[in-house]
Amino acid sequence: MSDTTAHPHERKVYYPGQQAVQSARISGMDAYRALCAQAEADYTGFWARLARENLQWQQPFTQVLDDSQAPFFKWFDDGKLNVSYNCLDVHVQAGKGEKTAIVFEADDGTVTRVSYAELLDRVSRFANALKSLGVKKGDRVVIYMPMSVEGVVAMQACARIGATHSVVFGGFSAQSLRDRIQDAGAVLVITADEQRRGGKSLPLKAIVDEALSLGGCDSIRHVVVYRRTGGNVAFTASRDLWMHELSAAQSADCPPEWVESEHPLFLLYTSGSTGKPKGVQHSSAGYLLWAKLTMLWTFDIRPDDLFWCTADIGWVTGHSYITYGPLACGATEVVFEGVPTFPDAGRFWKMIQDHKVTIFYTAPTAIRSLIKAAETNAAVHPRNYRLESLRILGTVGEPINPAAWEWYFEHIGGGRCPVVDTWWQTETGGHMITPLPGATPMVPGSCTLPLPGIIAEVVDETGHDVPWGTGGILVIKKPWPSMIRNIYGDPERFKKSYYPEELGGFYLAGDGAIRDANDGYFTITGRIDDVLNVSGHRMGTMEIESALVSHPLVAEAAVVGRPDDITGEAICAFVVLKRTRPEGDEAKAIANELRQHVGLEIGPIAKPKDIRFGDNLPKTRSGKIMRRLLRSLAKGEAVTQDTSTLENPAILDQLGKAH
C-alpha cells in the first residue's frame, strides 16, 4: 500500500499499492470505468456475456432479462443449470479433485481438510439420502446447524436435487425456528445433536424438538441429525434419523437435477420493520453468477489463495462467501466452528498465522471487540502473530467506523493490504458497493463506488436524485441478476417493501446514504426504517417489542437503537409494566427476566442491552410513540424537542435510567 493523502476537508485517502494494482483482475480505475461503461452501453449484453463466461449451462439461455412483470424480474429465464454441479463437479472434471476445498478448524483447534472430490462424494451421498426420504425438487428444507463441513454439505445437497433450503442461524430460539419452518412449509429439518462454541456444548436438536412441539409444523416428515458432540439427545422413532447412517447407505453417484435459472435456490428469513420475518427468496443462476463474480472482483480470488470468511452459514454472508461463491471459483477456504475469543482473543490472528490465510473477511463488531481485547491484554495483540500471508482484508454487515478501519489496516494488514468495505444485503445476494483491491482509492468509513453493472444512487422521498453531499435514500435503479425475487408467499409485501410506488420502479435498500461532493463515494448513514443493525445482524424493533409485550408483566414497550462502541448499535427498550414502576434491585431483577424472555422468544442476539422503566411512554396527541425523543434519551442526550404535549413530563427522568 502506498501513499495516503488528505482531502481539503480532511478525508484520508489510501491508494492501492503497486503490487495490488499490477496483478489484479480489475487493475486500476480505468479498467473499472471501462467495465462500468460496457454495462452502460449494453446492459443486458454485459450480463449475458458474464453469465456465459462464468457458469456452466446444461441448457443455454436465449433470453437475458424479462421485465414484463416488473418488479418480478426474471434473468436467463429459459436456461437450465445446477448450482452444486457448478461448485463441485466442474472442478473435479477439470482434474482438480485433489485440491483442498475446505480447511475446517473446530472449536478445540482440530483441523480437517476436505478435497473437492471428497466434498462431491459427501454431497452426492447426502443428496441421495434426502431423495430416499422423499425430498424432491421444489420442496423446502430447513437447516439448523453449527458451522461445519456438514452444514455446507447439507446446503449443497439440497441444491443438487433442486430442493430449496432455508438455513436458520443456530442462535435463534425454538419459537423463531418454528415460525420459519411454518412459513416455509418445510418437509424436513437438518440439525445436529449439539454445537461447540467457546469450549461449551450448546443444544440444537433439543431446540428443534421444542420448535416442533409448539405446533404448526405438520409439514415436517423427518429430522436428520448430524452427530457433532455425541451428546445425549431424545430421538423420535421413524421421524428422527442420523445423518451419517443415512449417507453411508447411499451411492456416491448422484446426477444433478437440472433446474430453471429462476428456480428458488434458498429462502433466508430476515427481520423487517413489522414483527413477521420476511422469507427472502433467491434464484439459482443469477444468484450464483454474482456470488462467483464478486469473489473474482472484490476479493480478486486466485487459485493459490486461502480465503476465510468468518460469518455463519445462518446469514447471507455465509451463503455467498462460504457455501457458494468460493466453491464456484474452485478456491480453498477456511470454515471455523468457534468464536474469536476462545481460548483467547488472539484466536483469529493465530489461525491466520497457522493456516497462512491470504484473504480475511469479517465484521466490524468483531474488529472493535478485538481492538478492545488487544488494548487490555498485550498477549493477544496482533503484533505477536505473523500475518504477512494476508493480501486483502474485507469487512461486512455494517459500516466500519474510520478508527476501526485504520486499526485493521495498520495492525492486521501491516499497512499494505487493501480493505474492501462491502455494502450489500440479504436481498442483494452479493456485494453492491465496495472498493476493488487493485483499483479503488479507499476512504475509511466509505464503501466507495458501486460494482460494474450496479446502478446505485441517493434520492429523495419522491425518487429524484439529490445533489452529492446531501443525505437521502439509497436505491438501485436497474434490476441485477442476484436480486431478491420475492418475499416467500407474500408478493404484495415484496412490492411494498422494495418497490414502493413513490420511488417509480427503483429498488429501495432501506438504508440512508450520502455521496461525497467531490468523488461521489457512498457512505451509509444507517437504516431509514425501524430496523436496528446489531453486530451486523438486522433486528426489527417491532419483533423485539412484540416479544417484550408477550411477557405477562409488560403492558407496553418501545425499542430503539443507540450507538455502541462494540456492536455498532445496541438495543434499548423502554417498558411500561402492568404494575407499579420498579426501582433499584427489583428493577434490575425484572430487567434480567425480560432479557431472558426476549432471548427465548427470538434468540440471544435480540436481548436488549438497556431496559428502562416508566409509568408510561412519551406519545403525541394522536397516540404515536415519540421515537425520536426515545432515541435522544437512549443516547443520554439533552432533550431539545418540544415536550409540551407530554401528559407526564416526569417520565423523561424515569426513562433516562438504564437497568
Side-chain angles (χ1 to χ4, degrees):
M1 213 31 68
S2 59
D3 331 328
T4 311
T5 62
H7 270 294
H9 52 307
E10 292 309 304
R11 278 198 337 159
K12 272 190 179 169
V13 182
Y14 292 78
Y15 291 88
Q18 213 38 52
Q19 203 178 351
V21 175
Q22 277 169 347
S23 58
R25 201 170 263 102
I26 299 178
S27 172
M29 285 304 283
D30 286 348
Y32 162 76
R33 289 189 198 100
L35 276 172
C36 293
Q38 282 175 29
E40 205 170 316
D42 177 7
Y43 195 68
T44 54
F46 172 79
W47 287 113
R49 174 178 70 79
L50 289 169
R52 289 188 183 110
E53 285 174 2
N54 287 283
L55 297 180
Q56 297 279 336
W57 297 85
Q58 188 260 346
Q59 181 177 304
F61 60 90
T62 60
Q63 189 174 18
V64 186
L65 171 63
D66 175 359
D67 56 5
S68 59
Q69 304 291 308
F72 299 96
F73 299 100
K74 291 178 179 173
W75 285 90
F76 322 120
D77 194 30
D78 55 351
K80 281 190 173 181
L81 48 49
N82 181 277
V83 167
S84 172
Y85 178 87
N86 271 276
C87 292
L88 301 172
D89 306 61
V90 160
H91 311 304
V92 173
Q93 289 168 10
K96 294 174 189 160
E98 293 315 301
K99 183 175 179 177
T100 302
I102 293 174
V103 178
F104 174 69
E105 181 162 320
D107 187 61
D108 66 1
T110 309
V111 176
T112 314
R113 287 179 168 79
V114 182
S115 70
Y116 272 91
E118 287 167 305
L119 194 56
L120 175 60
D121 181 278
R122 287 166 70 166
V123 166
S124 299
R125 286 179 193 276
F126 191 54
N128 281 330
L130 291 175
K131 284 202 292 197
S132 75
L133 298 174
V135 180
K136 55 187 192 304
K137 178 185 171 188
D139 282 343
R140 276 82 54 213
V141 172
V142 163
I143 298 174
Y144 186 65
M145 287 186 90
M147 284 298 292
S148 54
V149 175
E150 285 70 15
V152 174
V153 165
M155 293 165 80
Q156 286 277 352
C158 288
R160 196 162 192 86
I161 62 173
T164 301
H165 61 69
S166 184
V167 185
V168 177
F169 170 58
F172 274 124
S173 67
Q175 184 65 49
S176 296
L177 178 60
R178 187 212 78 106
D179 293 348
R180 287 156 173 76
I181 291 171
Q182 184 182 33
D183 192 79
V187 300
L188 184 131
V189 177
I190 307 169
T191 188
D193 47 6
E194 296 172 313
Q195 55 181 338
R196 294 286 296 169
R197 283 176 72 83
K200 298 187 190 77
S201 292
L202 302 166
L204 285 174
K205 169 68 165 57
I207 296 172
V208 171
D209 290 343
E210 189 187 337
L212 298 181
S213 73
L214 294 169
C217 302
D218 302 340
S219 55
I220 294 289
R221 299 197 296 265
H222 294 287
V223 176
V224 176
V225 187
Y226 155 49
R227 185 177 275 158
R228 165 64 189 94
T229 63
N232 196 10
V233 291
F235 243 58
T236 304
S238 76
R239 186 194 74 183
D240 299 348
L241 301 148
W242 287 113
M243 185 174 182
H244 61 277
E245 288 177 359
L246 273 171
S247 289
Q250 299 297 329
S251 152
D253 180 35
C254 177
E257 178 78 37
W258 303 108
V259 300
E260 304 75 20
S261 293
E262 284 297 320
H263 179 73
L265 175 65
F266 64 88
L267 308 176
L268 191 52
Y269 285 83
T270 179
S271 282
S273 51
T274 65
K276 187 176 180 307
K278 298 183 285 198
V280 171
Q281 180 179 317
H282 273 289
S283 72
S284 294
Y287 167 81
L288 187 66
L289 171 66
W290 199 228
K292 183 176 178 182
L293 276 174
T294 48
M295 285 293 305
L296 296 170
W297 290 354
T298 312
F299 297 123
D300 194 39
I301 194 85
R302 300 175 190 167
D304 55 350
D305 272 317
L306 183 57
F307 175 81
W308 181 18
C309 164
T310 68
D312 190 283
I313 53 171
W315 309 113
V316 74
T317 306
H319 285 53
S320 300
Y321 301 108
I322 294 176
T323 301
Y324 293 115
L327 298 177
C329 294
T332 302
E333 59 174 327
V334 173
V335 172
F336 174 47
E337 178 179 40
V339 293
T341 50
F342 176 81
D344 59 43
R347 181 70 180 268
F348 274 5
W349 320 136
K350 185 174 182 316
M351 284 178 63
I352 292 171
Q353 167 186 282
D354 293 356
H355 296 297
K356 298 191 169 44
V357 171
T358 57
I359 305 169
F360 181 63
Y361 192 38
T362 196
T365 292
I367 297 166
R368 287 191 293 265
S369 67
L370 295 169
I371 294 174
K372 198 170 172 184
E375 283 170 357
T376 50
N377 176 5
V380 299
H381 195 286
R383 65 171 159 260
N384 301 315
Y385 301 87
R386 300 194 61 145
L387 307 177
E388 62 273 12
S389 59
L390 288 167
R391 65 180 192 91
I392 293 171
L393 301 174
T395 69
V396 59
E398 56 190 311
I400 181 166
N401 50 305
W405 191 104
E406 298 261 5
W407 186 90
Y408 192 39
F409 175 73
E410 261 333 304
H411 292 282
I412 308 306
R416 54 186 171 74
C417 300
V419 177
V420 290
D421 169 1
T422 61
W423 175 83
W424 62 296
Q425 302 174 303
T426 305
E427 292 87 347
T428 69
H431 306 149
M432 302 293 278
I433 308 176
T434 175
L436 292 167
T440 319
M442 294 160 293
V443 170
S446 167
C447 49
T448 69
L449 294 169
L451 284 169
I454 303 301
I455 318 299
E457 200 45 83
V458 180
V459 301
D460 61 18
E461 282 77 4
T462 60
H464 291 97
D465 291 7
V466 299
W468 287 8
T470 316
I473 299 166
L474 179 61
V475 295
I476 312 292
K477 289 191 165 181
K478 285 188 175 179
W480 67 102
S482 68
M483 64 191 296
I484 174 175
R485 295 304 200 262
N486 202 352
I487 291 174
Y488 185 68
D490 201 343
E492 278 313 304
R493 189 177 178 195
F494 166 77
K495 280 197 292 199
K496 215 162 82 191
S497 299
Y498 301 110
Y499 285 92
E501 272 177 32
E502 60 273 19
L503 288 182
F506 299 157
Y507 167 86
L508 171 68
D511 280 327
I514 186 164
R515 296 193 72 173
D516 184 79
N518 292 320
D519 52 26
Y521 275 19
F522 287 79
T523 296
I524 306 298
T525 53
R527 298 288 303 170
I528 56 172
D529 53 14
D530 286 330
V531 174
L532 310 178
N533 192 330
V534 182
S535 300
H537 306 315
R538 272 166 43 182
M539 302 297 312
T541 54
M542 185 101 153
E543 207 174 347
I544 305 165
E545 287 167 11
S546 305
L548 283 162
V549 173
S550 70
H551 188 284
L553 277 178
V554 177
E556 203 174 11
V559 169
V560 299
R562 66 162 176 79
D564 184 89
D565 287 348
I566 302 292
T567 57
E569 241 182 330
I571 300 168
C572 180
F574 297 88
V575 175
V576 179
L577 298 178
K578 291 173 183 171
R579 45 150 284 180
T580 52
R581 180 171 55 84
E583 305 248 12
D585 286 348
E586 187 186 25
K588 277 193 191 120
I590 295 175
N592 279 331
E593 188 180 328
L594 295 179
R595 279 190 192 94
Q596 293 309 111
H597 178 74
V598 171
L600 283 172
E601 287 287 307
I602 303 172
I605 57 173
K607 287 180 182 178
K609 193 156 188 182
D610 302 350
I611 293 185
R612 302 162 180 234
F613 296 105
D615 292 330
N616 45 37
L617 294 175
K619 291 180 181 171
T620 62
R621 288 205 171 103
S622 61
K624 269 187 94 171
I625 295 171
M626 298 164 76
R627 288 178 186 271
R628 197 173 293 167
L629 186 88
L630 293 179
R631 284 191 195 100
S632 296
L633 285 170
K635 287 177 193 166
E637 296 171 345
V639 174
T640 53
Q641 291 152 269
D642 180 15
T643 55
S644 56
T645 55
L646 284 181
E647 286 168 58
N648 175 8
I651 64 169
L652 295 182
D653 284 336
Q654 297 171 7
L655 297 170
K657 293 188 191 98
H659 299 283

